[in-house]
Coordinates of all heavy atoms in Angstrom, one line a residue:
M1 N 12.2 163.4 193.5 CA 12.5 162.1 192.8 C 13.4 162.5 191.6 O 13.0 163.3 190.8 CB 11.2 161.6 192.4 CG 11.3 160.2 191.8 SD 9.6 159.7 191.5 CE 9.8 158.0 192.0
T2 N 14.5 161.8 191.5 CA 15.4 162.1 190.4 C 15.5 160.8 189.5 O 15.4 159.7 190.0 CB 16.8 162.4 191.0 OG1 17.3 161.3 191.7 CG2 16.8 163.7 191.8
A3 N 15.6 161.1 188.3 CA 15.7 160.0 187.3 C 17.1 159.5 187.3 O 18.1 160.3 187.4 CB 15.4 160.5 185.9
L4 N 17.3 158.2 187.2 CA 18.6 157.6 187.2 C 19.2 157.9 185.8 O 18.5 157.7 184.8 CB 18.5 156.1 187.5 CG 18.0 155.7 188.8 CD1 17.9 154.2 188.9 CD2 19.0 156.2 189.9
P5 N 20.4 158.2 185.8 CA 21.1 158.4 184.5 C 21.2 157.1 183.7 O 21.6 156.1 184.3 CB 22.4 159.0 184.8 CG 22.7 158.7 186.2 CD 21.3 158.5 186.9
Q6 N 20.9 157.1 182.5 CA 21.0 155.9 181.7 C 22.3 155.8 181.0 O 22.8 156.8 180.5 CB 19.9 155.8 180.6 CG 18.5 155.7 181.2 CD 17.5 155.6 180.1 OE1 17.8 155.8 178.9 NE2 16.2 155.3 180.5
E7 N 22.9 154.7 181.1 CA 24.2 154.5 180.4 C 24.0 154.3 179.0 O 23.1 153.5 178.6 CB 25.0 153.4 181.0 CG 25.4 153.6 182.5 CD 26.2 152.4 183.0 OE1 26.8 151.7 182.2 OE2 26.2 152.2 184.2
P8 N 24.7 154.8 178.1 CA 24.5 154.6 176.7 C 24.8 153.1 176.3 O 25.7 152.5 176.9 CB 25.5 155.5 175.9 CG 26.5 155.9 177.0 CD 25.8 155.7 178.3
V9 N 24.1 152.6 175.4 CA 24.2 151.2 174.9 C 25.5 151.2 174.1 O 25.6 152.0 173.1 CB 23.0 150.7 174.1 CG1 23.2 149.3 173.7 CG2 21.8 150.8 175.0
P10 N 26.4 150.2 174.4 CA 27.6 150.2 173.6 C 27.3 149.9 172.1 O 26.3 149.1 171.8 CB 28.4 149.1 174.3 CG 27.8 148.8 175.5 CD 26.4 149.3 175.5
R11 N 28.1 150.3 171.3 CA 27.9 150.1 169.8 C 27.9 148.7 169.5 O 27.2 148.2 168.7 CB 29.0 150.9 169.0 CG 28.8 150.8 167.6 CD 29.8 151.6 166.8 NE 29.6 151.5 165.5 CZ 29.6 152.5 164.6 NH1 29.8 153.7 165.1 NH2 29.4 152.3 163.3
R12 N 28.8 147.9 170.1 CA 28.9 146.5 169.9 C 27.6 145.7 170.2 O 27.2 144.8 169.5 CB 30.1 145.9 170.7 CG 30.4 144.5 170.4 CD 31.6 144.1 171.0 NE 32.4 143.2 170.1 CZ 33.5 142.7 170.3 NH1 34.1 142.9 171.4 NH2 34.1 141.9 169.4
A13 N 27.0 146.1 171.3 CA 25.7 145.5 171.7 C 24.6 145.7 170.6 O 23.9 144.9 170.3 CB 25.3 146.0 173.1
R14 N 24.6 147.0 170.1 CA 23.6 147.3 169.1 C 23.8 146.4 167.8 O 22.9 145.9 167.2 CB 23.6 148.8 168.8 CG 22.8 149.6 169.8 CD 22.8 151.0 169.3 NE 23.9 151.6 169.9 CZ 24.5 152.8 169.5 NH1 23.9 153.4 168.5 NH2 25.5 153.3 170.1
I15 N 25.1 146.3 167.5 CA 25.4 145.5 166.3 C 25.0 144.1 166.5 O 24.5 143.4 165.6 CB 26.9 145.7 165.9 CG1 27.2 147.1 165.4 CG2 27.3 144.7 164.8 CD1 28.6 147.4 165.1
T16 N 25.3 143.5 167.7 CA 25.0 142.1 168.0 C 23.5 141.9 167.9 O 23.1 140.8 167.5 CB 25.5 141.8 169.4 OG1 26.9 142.1 169.5 CG2 25.2 140.3 169.7
V17 N 22.7 142.9 168.2 CA 21.3 142.7 168.1 C 20.8 142.8 166.7 O 19.9 142.1 166.3 CB 20.6 143.7 169.0 CG1 19.0 143.8 168.8 CG2 20.9 143.5 170.5
L18 N 21.4 143.7 165.9 CA 20.9 143.9 164.5 C 21.4 142.8 163.5 O 20.7 142.6 162.5 CB 21.4 145.3 164.0 CG 20.7 146.4 164.7 CD1 21.3 147.8 164.2 CD2 19.2 146.4 164.4
V19 N 22.5 142.2 163.8 CA 23.0 141.2 162.8 C 22.0 140.1 162.5 O 21.7 139.7 161.4 CB 24.4 140.6 163.3 CG1 24.8 139.4 162.5 CG2 25.5 141.6 163.2
P20 N 21.4 139.4 163.6 CA 20.4 138.4 163.2 C 19.2 138.9 162.5 O 18.7 138.2 161.6 CB 20.0 137.8 164.6 CG 21.1 138.2 165.5 CD 21.7 139.5 165.0
L21 N 18.8 140.1 162.8 CA 17.6 140.7 162.1 C 18.0 140.9 160.6 O 17.2 140.6 159.7 CB 17.2 142.0 162.8 CG 16.1 142.7 162.1 CD1 14.8 142.0 162.1 CD2 15.9 144.1 162.7
V22 N 19.2 141.4 160.4 CA 19.6 141.7 159.0 C 19.8 140.4 158.2 O 19.3 140.3 157.1 CB 20.9 142.6 159.0 CG1 21.5 142.6 157.6 CG2 20.6 143.9 159.5
L23 N 20.3 139.4 158.8 CA 20.5 138.1 158.2 C 19.1 137.5 157.8 O 18.9 136.9 156.8 CB 21.3 137.1 159.0 CG 22.8 137.4 159.1 CD1 23.5 136.5 160.1 CD2 23.4 137.3 157.7
F24 N 18.2 137.5 158.8 CA 16.9 137.0 158.5 C 16.2 137.7 157.4 O 15.6 137.1 156.5 CB 16.0 137.1 159.8 CG 14.5 136.8 159.6 CD1 14.1 135.5 159.4 CD2 13.6 137.8 159.4 CE1 12.8 135.2 159.1 CE2 12.3 137.5 159.2 CZ 11.9 136.2 159.0
L25 N 16.2 139.1 157.4 CA 15.6 139.8 156.3 C 16.3 139.5 155.0 O 15.5 139.4 153.9 CB 15.7 141.3 156.6 CG 14.8 141.7 157.8 CD1 15.0 143.2 158.1 CD2 13.3 141.5 157.5
A26 N 17.6 139.3 154.9 CA 18.2 139.0 153.7 C 17.8 137.6 153.1 O 17.5 137.5 152.0 CB 19.8 139.0 153.9
V27 N 17.7 136.6 154.0 CA 17.3 135.3 153.6 C 15.8 135.3 153.2 O 15.4 134.7 152.2 CB 17.5 134.2 154.7 CG1 16.9 132.9 154.4 CG2 19.1 134.1 154.9
A28 N 15.0 136.0 154.0 CA 13.5 136.1 153.6 C 13.4 136.8 152.3 O 12.6 136.4 151.4 CB 12.8 136.8 154.7
G29 N 14.2 137.8 152.0 CA 14.1 138.5 150.8 C 14.5 137.6 149.6 O 13.9 137.7 148.5
L30 N 15.6 136.9 149.8 CA 16.0 136.0 148.8 C 15.0 134.9 148.5 O 14.7 134.6 147.3 CB 17.3 135.2 149.2 CG 17.8 134.2 148.3 CD1 18.3 134.8 146.9 CD2 19.0 133.4 148.9
F31 N 14.4 134.3 149.5 CA 13.3 133.3 149.3 C 12.1 133.9 148.5 O 11.5 133.4 147.7 CB 12.8 132.7 150.6 CG 13.8 131.7 151.2 CD1 13.7 131.4 152.5 CD2 14.8 131.2 150.5 CE1 14.6 130.5 153.1 CE2 15.7 130.3 151.0 CZ 15.6 129.9 152.4
F32 N 11.7 135.2 149.0 CA 10.6 135.9 148.4 C 10.9 136.1 146.9 O 10.0 135.9 146.0 CB 10.2 137.1 149.1 CG 9.0 137.8 148.6 CD1 7.8 137.2 148.9 CD2 9.1 139.0 147.9 CE1 6.6 137.9 148.4 CE2 8.0 139.6 147.4 CZ 6.7 139.0 147.7
Y33 N 12.1 136.5 146.6 CA 12.5 136.8 145.2 C 12.4 135.5 144.4 O 11.9 135.5 143.2 CB 13.9 137.4 145.2 CG 14.5 137.5 143.7 CD1 14.0 138.5 142.8 CD2 15.4 136.6 143.4 CE1 14.5 138.5 141.6 CE2 16.0 136.7 142.1 CZ 15.5 137.7 141.2 OH 16.0 137.7 139.9
R34 N 13.0 134.4 144.9 CA 13.0 133.2 144.1 C 11.7 132.6 144.0 O 11.5 131.7 143.1 CB 14.0 132.2 144.8 CG 15.5 132.6 144.7 CD 16.0 132.6 143.3 NE 16.0 131.3 142.8 CZ 16.0 131.0 141.5 NH1 16.2 132.0 140.6 NH2 16.0 129.8 141.1
L35 N 10.8 132.9 144.9 CA 9.4 132.3 144.8 C 8.7 132.7 143.5 O 8.0 132.0 142.9 CB 8.6 132.8 146.0 CG 7.2 132.2 146.2 CD1 7.3 130.7 146.4 CD2 6.5 132.8 147.4
G36 N 9.0 133.9 143.1 CA 8.3 134.4 141.9 C 9.1 134.3 140.6 O 8.6 134.7 139.5
T37 N 10.3 133.8 140.6 CA 11.1 133.7 139.4 C 11.2 132.2 139.0 O 11.0 131.3 139.8 CB 12.5 134.2 139.7 OG1 13.1 133.4 140.7 CG2 12.5 135.6 140.0
G38 N 11.5 132.0 137.7 CA 11.7 130.7 137.2 C 10.4 130.0 136.8 O 9.2 130.5 137.1
D39 N 10.5 128.9 136.1 CA 9.4 128.2 135.5 C 9.3 126.8 136.2 O 10.2 126.0 136.0 CB 9.5 128.1 134.0 CG 8.4 127.3 133.3 OD1 7.3 127.1 134.1 OD2 8.4 127.0 132.2
P40 N 8.3 126.6 137.1 CA 8.3 125.3 137.8 C 8.1 124.1 136.9 O 8.4 123.0 137.3 CB 7.1 125.5 138.8 CG 6.3 126.6 138.2 CD 7.2 127.5 137.4
S41 N 7.7 124.3 135.7 CA 7.5 123.2 134.8 C 8.8 122.7 134.2 O 8.9 121.6 133.6 CB 6.6 123.5 133.6 OG 7.2 124.5 132.8
R42 N 9.9 123.4 134.5 CA 11.2 123.0 134.0 C 12.0 122.3 135.0 O 13.2 122.0 134.8 CB 12.0 124.3 133.6 CG 11.3 125.0 132.4 CD 12.2 126.0 131.9 NE 13.5 125.5 131.6 CZ 14.4 126.0 130.8 NH1 14.1 127.2 130.3 NH2 15.6 125.5 130.6
I43 N 11.4 121.9 136.1 CA 12.1 121.2 137.2 C 12.3 119.7 136.6 O 11.4 119.1 136.2 CB 11.2 121.1 138.5 CG1 11.1 122.5 139.0 CG2 11.9 120.2 139.5 CD1 10.2 122.6 140.2
P44 N 13.5 119.3 136.6 CA 13.8 118.0 136.1 C 13.3 116.8 136.9 O 13.3 116.9 138.2 CB 15.3 117.9 136.0 CG 15.8 118.8 137.0 CD 14.7 119.9 137.1
S45 N 12.7 115.8 136.3 CA 12.2 114.6 137.1 C 12.3 113.4 136.1 O 12.0 113.5 135.0 CB 10.7 114.8 137.5 OG 10.3 113.6 138.1
A46 N 12.7 112.3 136.7 CA 12.8 111.1 135.9 C 11.5 110.5 135.7 O 11.3 109.6 134.8 CB 13.7 110.1 136.6
L47 N 10.4 110.9 136.4 CA 9.1 110.3 136.3 C 8.2 111.0 135.3 O 7.1 110.5 135.1 CB 8.5 110.3 137.7 CG 9.3 109.5 138.7 CD1 8.6 109.6 140.1 CD2 9.5 108.1 138.3
I48 N 8.5 112.2 134.8 CA 7.7 112.9 133.9 C 7.5 112.1 132.6 O 8.5 111.7 132.0 CB 8.2 114.3 133.6 CG1 8.1 115.2 134.9 CG2 7.4 115.0 132.5 CD1 8.6 116.5 134.8
G49 N 6.3 111.9 132.2 CA 6.0 111.2 131.0 C 6.0 109.7 131.1 O 5.8 108.9 130.1
Q50 N 6.3 109.1 132.3 CA 6.4 107.7 132.5 C 5.0 107.2 133.0 O 4.4 108.0 133.8 CB 7.5 107.4 133.5 CG 8.8 107.8 133.1 CD 9.3 107.1 131.9 OE1 9.1 105.9 131.7 NE2 10.0 107.8 131.0
P51 N 4.6 106.0 132.7 CA 3.4 105.5 133.3 C 3.5 105.2 134.8 O 4.6 104.9 135.2 CB 3.1 104.2 132.4 CG 4.4 103.8 132.0 CD 5.3 105.1 131.8
A52 N 2.4 105.3 135.5 CA 2.4 104.9 136.9 C 2.7 103.4 137.0 O 2.3 102.7 136.2 CB 1.1 105.3 137.5
P53 N 3.4 103.0 138.1 CA 3.7 101.6 138.3 C 2.4 100.9 138.5 O 1.4 101.4 139.0 CB 4.6 101.6 139.5 CG 4.4 102.9 140.2 CD 4.0 103.9 139.2
Q54 N 2.4 99.6 138.1 CA 1.2 98.7 138.3 C 0.9 98.6 139.9 O 1.8 98.4 140.6 CB 1.4 97.4 137.7 CG 1.4 97.4 136.2 CD 0.1 97.9 135.7 OE1 -1.0 97.5 136.1 NE2 0.1 98.7 134.7
T55 N -0.3 98.7 140.2 CA -0.7 98.7 141.6 C -1.7 97.5 141.8 O -2.8 97.7 141.4 CB -1.3 100.0 142.1 OG1 -0.4 101.0 141.8 CG2 -1.6 100.0 143.6
D56 N -1.3 96.4 142.2 CA -2.1 95.3 142.5 C -1.8 94.8 143.9 O -0.8 94.1 144.2 CB -1.9 94.1 141.5 CG -2.3 94.5 140.1 OD1 -3.4 95.1 140.0 OD2 -1.6 94.2 139.2
L57 N -2.6 95.3 144.9 CA -2.4 95.0 146.3 C -3.7 94.1 146.8 O -4.8 94.6 146.7 CB -2.4 96.3 147.1 CG -1.2 97.3 146.6 CD1 -1.4 98.6 147.4 CD2 0.1 96.6 146.9
P58 N -3.4 93.0 147.3 CA -4.4 92.1 147.8 C -5.0 92.7 149.1 O -4.4 93.5 149.7 CB -3.7 90.8 148.1 CG -2.3 91.2 148.3 CD -2.1 92.3 147.5
P59 N -6.3 92.3 149.4 CA -6.9 92.8 150.7 C -6.1 92.3 151.8 O -5.5 91.3 151.9 CB -8.3 92.3 150.6 CG -8.3 91.2 149.6 CD -7.1 91.4 148.7
L60 N -6.1 93.2 152.9 CA -5.4 92.8 154.1 C -6.4 92.0 155.0 O -7.5 92.4 155.3 CB -5.0 94.0 154.9 CG -3.9 94.9 154.2 CD1 -3.7 96.1 155.0 CD2 -2.7 94.1 154.1
P61 N -5.9 90.8 155.5 CA -6.8 90.0 156.3 C -7.1 90.7 157.6 O -6.2 91.3 158.2 CB -6.0 88.7 156.6 CG -4.6 88.9 156.0 CD -4.6 90.2 155.2
G62 N -8.4 90.7 158.0 CA -8.8 91.3 159.3 C -9.1 92.8 159.2 O -9.6 93.4 160.1
L63 N -8.9 93.4 158.0 CA -9.2 94.8 157.9 C -10.7 95.0 157.4 O -11.0 94.5 156.4 CB -8.3 95.5 156.8 CG -8.4 97.0 156.6 CD1 -8.1 97.8 157.9 CD2 -7.5 97.5 155.5
E64 N -11.5 95.6 158.3 CA -12.9 95.7 158.0 C -13.3 97.2 158.1 O -12.8 97.9 158.9 CB -13.7 94.8 159.0 CG -13.4 93.4 158.8 CD -14.3 92.6 159.8 OE1 -15.0 93.1 160.6 OE2 -14.3 91.3 159.6
R65 N -14.4 97.5 157.4 CA -15.1 98.8 157.5 C -16.5 98.5 157.5 O -17.1 97.9 156.6 CB -14.7 99.7 156.3 CG -15.4 101.0 156.5 CD -15.1 102.0 155.3 NE -13.7 102.1 155.1 CZ -13.1 102.2 153.9 NH1 -13.8 102.1 152.8 NH2 -11.8 102.4 153.7
D66 N -17.2 98.9 158.6 CA -18.7 98.7 158.7 C -19.0 97.2 158.7 O -20.0 96.8 158.2 CB -19.4 99.5 157.7 CG -19.3 101.0 157.7 OD1 -19.1 101.5 158.9 OD2 -19.3 101.6 156.7
G67 N -18.1 96.4 159.3 CA -18.4 95.0 159.4 C -18.1 94.2 158.1 O -18.3 93.0 158.1
R68 N -17.7 94.9 157.1 CA -17.4 94.2 155.8 C -15.9 94.3 155.5 O -15.2 95.3 155.8 CB -18.1 94.8 154.7 CG -19.7 94.5 154.8 CD -20.4 95.1 153.6 NE -20.1 96.6 153.8 CZ -20.7 97.5 153.1 NH1 -21.6 97.1 152.1 NH2 -20.5 98.7 153.2
P69 N -15.3 93.2 154.9 CA -13.8 93.3 154.6 C -13.6 94.4 153.5 O -14.3 94.6 152.6 CB -13.5 91.9 154.0 CG -14.8 91.2 153.9 CD -15.9 92.0 154.6
V70 N -12.5 95.1 153.7 CA -12.1 96.1 152.8 C -11.3 95.5 151.6 O -10.4 94.7 151.8 CB -11.1 97.2 153.5 CG1 -10.6 98.2 152.5 CG2 -11.9 97.8 154.6
P71 N -11.7 95.8 150.4 CA -11.1 95.1 149.2 C -9.7 95.7 149.0 O -9.4 96.8 149.5 CB -12.0 95.5 148.1 CG -12.7 96.7 148.5 CD -12.8 96.6 150.0
G72 N -8.9 95.0 148.2 CA -7.5 95.4 147.9 C -7.6 96.5 146.8 O -8.7 96.9 146.4
L73 N -6.5 96.9 146.3 CA -6.4 97.8 145.2 C -5.9 97.2 143.9 O -4.9 96.4 144.0 CB -5.5 99.0 145.5 CG -5.9 99.9 146.7 CD1 -4.8 100.9 147.1 CD2 -7.2 100.6 146.4
A74 N -6.4 97.5 142.8 CA -6.0 97.0 141.5 C -5.7 98.2 140.6 O -6.4 99.3 140.7 CB -7.0 96.0 140.9
A75 N -4.9 98.0 139.6 CA -4.6 99.1 138.6 C -5.9 99.5 137.9 O -6.1 100.7 137.5 CB -3.6 98.6 137.6
A76 N -6.9 98.6 137.7 CA -8.1 99.0 137.0 C -8.9 100.0 137.8 O -9.8 100.7 137.3 CB -9.0 97.7 136.8
D77 N -8.7 100.0 139.2 CA -9.5 101.0 140.0 C -9.1 102.4 139.7 O -9.9 103.4 140.0 CB -9.2 100.7 141.5 CG -9.7 99.4 141.9 OD1 -10.6 98.8 141.2 OD2 -9.2 98.9 143.0
F78 N -7.9 102.7 139.1 CA -7.4 104.0 138.9 C -7.5 104.4 137.4 O -7.2 105.5 137.1 CB -5.9 104.1 139.3 CG -5.7 103.7 140.7 CD1 -4.8 102.6 141.0 CD2 -6.3 104.4 141.8 CE1 -4.6 102.3 142.3 CE2 -6.1 104.0 143.1 CZ -5.2 102.9 143.3
K79 N -8.0 103.5 136.6 CA -8.0 103.7 135.1 C -9.0 104.9 134.8 O -10.1 104.9 135.2 CB -8.5 102.5 134.4 CG -8.1 102.5 133.0 CD -7.1 101.4 132.8 CE -6.7 101.3 131.3 NZ -5.3 101.0 131.2
G80 N -8.5 105.8 134.0 CA -9.3 106.9 133.5 C -9.6 108.0 134.5 O -10.4 108.9 134.2
A81 N -8.8 108.0 135.6 CA -9.1 109.1 136.6 C -7.7 109.6 137.1 O -6.8 108.8 137.2 CB -10.0 108.7 137.7
V82 N -7.7 110.8 137.5 CA -6.5 111.4 138.2 C -6.6 110.9 139.7 O -7.7 111.1 140.3 CB -6.5 112.9 138.1 CG1 -5.3 113.5 138.9 CG2 -6.3 113.4 136.7
T83 N -5.6 110.3 140.2 CA -5.7 109.8 141.5 C -4.5 110.2 142.4 O -3.3 110.3 141.9 CB -5.6 108.2 141.5 OG1 -6.7 107.8 140.6 CG2 -5.8 107.6 142.8
L84 N -4.7 110.6 143.6 CA -3.7 110.9 144.6 C -3.7 109.9 145.6 O -4.7 109.6 146.3 CB -3.9 112.3 145.2 CG -3.0 112.7 146.3 CD1 -1.6 112.9 145.8 CD2 -3.5 113.9 147.0
I85 N -2.5 109.2 145.8 CA -2.4 108.2 146.8 C -1.5 108.7 147.9 O -0.4 109.1 147.7 CB -1.8 106.9 146.2 CG1 -2.7 106.3 145.2 CG2 -1.6 105.9 147.4 CD1 -2.2 105.1 144.5
N86 N -2.1 108.8 149.1 CA -1.3 109.3 150.3 C -0.7 108.0 151.0 O -1.3 107.2 151.5 CB -2.2 110.0 151.2 CG -1.5 110.6 152.4 OD1 -0.3 110.6 152.4 ND2 -2.2 111.1 153.4
V87 N 0.7 108.0 151.0 CA 1.4 106.9 151.6 C 1.8 107.4 153.0 O 2.7 108.3 153.0 CB 2.6 106.5 150.8 CG1 3.3 105.4 151.4 CG2 2.1 106.1 149.4
W88 N 1.3 106.9 154.0 CA 1.6 107.3 155.4 C 2.9 106.6 155.8 O 3.2 105.6 155.4 CB 0.4 106.9 156.3 CG 0.4 107.5 157.6 CD1 0.7 107.0 158.8 CD2 0.1 108.9 157.9 NE1 0.6 107.9 159.8 CE2 0.3 109.1 159.3 CE3 -0.2 110.0 157.1 CZ2 0.1 110.4 159.9 CZ3 -0.4 111.2 157.7 CH2 -0.3 111.4 159.1
A89 N 3.6 107.3 156.7 CA 4.8 106.8 157.2 C 4.7 105.5 158.0 O 3.6 105.3 158.7 CB 5.5 107.8 158.1
S90 N 5.6 104.5 157.8 CA 5.4 103.2 158.4 C 5.5 103.3 159.9 O 5.1 102.4 160.6 CB 6.4 102.3 157.8 OG 7.8 102.8 158.2
W91 N 6.1 104.3 160.5 CA 6.2 104.4 161.9 C 5.0 105.0 162.6 O 5.0 105.1 163.8 CB 7.5 105.1 162.3 CG 7.6 106.5 161.8 CD1 7.0 107.6 162.3 CD2 8.2 106.9 160.6 NE1 7.2 108.7 161.5 CE2 8.0 108.3 160.4 CE3 8.9 106.2 159.6 CZ2 8.4 109.0 159.3 CZ3 9.4 107.0 158.5 CH2 9.1 108.3 158.4
C92 N 4.1 105.4 161.9 CA 2.8 106.1 162.4 C 1.8 105.0 162.6 O 1.6 104.2 161.8 CB 2.3 107.1 161.5 SG 3.4 108.5 161.3
I93 N 1.2 105.1 163.8 CA 0.1 104.1 164.1 C -1.2 104.6 163.5 O -1.3 105.8 163.3 CB 0.0 103.9 165.6 CG1 -0.3 105.2 166.3 CG2 1.2 103.2 166.2 CD1 -0.6 105.0 167.8
P94 N -2.2 103.8 163.3 CA -3.5 104.3 162.8 C -4.1 105.3 163.6 O -4.0 105.4 164.8 CB -4.3 103.0 162.7 CG -3.4 101.9 162.7 CD -2.2 102.4 163.5
A95 N -4.8 106.3 162.9 CA -5.4 107.4 163.6 C -6.6 107.0 164.4 O -7.1 107.7 165.3 CB -5.8 108.5 162.6
T96 N -7.1 105.8 164.2 CA -8.3 105.3 164.9 C -8.0 105.1 166.4 O -9.0 105.1 167.2 CB -8.9 104.0 164.4 OG1 -7.8 103.0 164.4 CG2 -9.3 104.2 162.9
T97 N -6.8 105.0 166.8 CA -6.4 104.8 168.2 C -6.4 106.1 169.0 O -6.3 106.1 170.2 CB -5.1 104.1 168.4 OG1 -4.1 104.9 167.8 CG2 -5.1 102.8 167.7
G98 N -6.5 107.3 168.3 CA -6.5 108.6 168.9 C -5.1 109.1 169.1 O -4.9 110.3 169.4
A99 N -4.1 108.3 168.8 CA -2.7 108.8 169.0 C -2.2 109.5 167.6 O -2.8 109.1 166.6 CB -1.7 107.7 169.3
R100 N -1.3 110.3 167.7 CA -0.8 111.0 166.5 C 0.6 110.7 166.3 O 1.3 110.4 167.2 CB -1.0 112.5 166.6 CG -2.4 112.9 166.7 CD -2.6 114.4 166.7 NE -4.0 114.7 166.7 CZ -4.5 115.9 166.8 NH1 -3.7 116.9 166.8 NH2 -5.7 116.1 166.8
C101 N 1.0 110.8 165.0 CA 2.4 110.5 164.6 C 3.3 111.8 165.0 O 2.9 112.9 164.8 CB 2.4 110.2 163.2 SG 4.1 109.8 162.7

């Protein structure tokens, strides 16, 4: 049994394989470097120091939880507390149907 002679891989093929790897490592290194530099509190925003907009939303007709109507939202509901409001995309259907966005 004799081993088949292997043809050397052309230099151009090796470079073609290494270029994407080198580019990926360069971009990953840049992202990793920038992740630890800078002060995130210096990011400009037009909303810093501004009061939150007034939120007065009436209850939706037909929306119920445990057989009782769900109340609307008012600005007084958020007074004195830190609040995070998750606004879901309008093209997503409710999760209660089992479908996902």
Side-chain angles (χ1 to χ4, degrees):
M1 186 177 223
T2 60
L4 295 173
Q6 292 182 353
E7 294 182 26
V9 178
R11 183 180 181 131
R12 184 174 222 177
R14 279 186 270 162
I15 290 174
T16 304
V17 169
L18 289 178
V19 167
L21 176 64
V22 170
L23 287 175
F24 171 77
L25 291 175
V27 170
L30 177 67
F31 286 165
F32 186 72
Y33 170 73
R34 292 295 297 161
L35 186 64
T37 61
D39 183 8
S41 66
R42 296 187 55 165
I43 296 174
S45 175
L47 300 177
I48 293 177
Q50 300 295 321
Q54 290 297 318
T55 308
D56 291 318
L57 303 172
L60 296 173
L63 184 61
E64 295 181 354
R65 181 182 304 143
D66 298 328
R68 292 179 296 188
V70 176
L73 294 174
D77 296 338
F78 305 119
K79 199 113 181 144
V82 176
T83 305
L84 172 68
I85 299 175
N86 183 9
V87 180
W88 195 252
S90 62
W91 56 85
C92 294
I93 59 174
T96 57
T97 61
R100 294 187 179 175
C101 183

